[in-house]
Amino acid sequence: MPIVAKIVIGVLPVLLFLAALSWLDNYRLVKLRSVLAAIGVGAVVAVGCMAVAVYVLEGGRVSLQTYSRYLAPLLEETGKWIALHVGHRRG
């Protein structure tokens, strides 16, 4: 299966869920622009984490089990924290 099809299949349920939540939000407490910005920042963080994972795993620096168990959660949560911190500082 082509990578584009995998991405569409993976992202489609999330977008449908967000559309349903937006439709249910009668008071419009969160603007669509804010939601889309958060999705965009999350995508950038995910791509960055993936790039680090490829570098670490293909270089043979650590095993997949070690990376998955110890490094990936630390990297991903730190990336999310940085994104939230920067967003909070700006907003």
Side-chain angles (χ1 to χ4, degrees):
M1 178 180 292
I3 188 71
V4 174
K6 290 180 181 181
I7 291 172
V8 169
I9 290 170
V11 172
L12 188 61
V14 174
L15 295 177
L16 291 174
F17 181 67
L18 286 173
L21 289 178
S22 178
W23 180 69
L24 291 171
D25 184 16
N26 292 332
Y27 296 106
R28 301 289 176 224
L29 298 174
V30 179
K31 296 177 183 169
L32 180 60
R33 181 177 176 192
S34 298
V35 172
L36 294 176
I39 291 171
V41 169
V44 170
V45 170
V47 168
C49 290
M50 188 175 79
V52 171
V54 168
Y55 174 76
V56 169
L57 292 173
E58 286 186 355
R61 290 161 180 80
V62 295
S63 68
L64 177 61
Q65 181 178 6
T66 301
Y67 179 80
S68 299
R69 186 174 290 167
Y70 302 110
L71 297 177
L74 179 66
L75 178 66
E76 292 167 8
E77 297 303 322
T78 303
K80 288 189 278 186
W81 179 84
I82 290 170
L84 286 172
H85 185 69
V86 170
H88 180 69
R89 289 285 209 176
R90 286 184 159 192

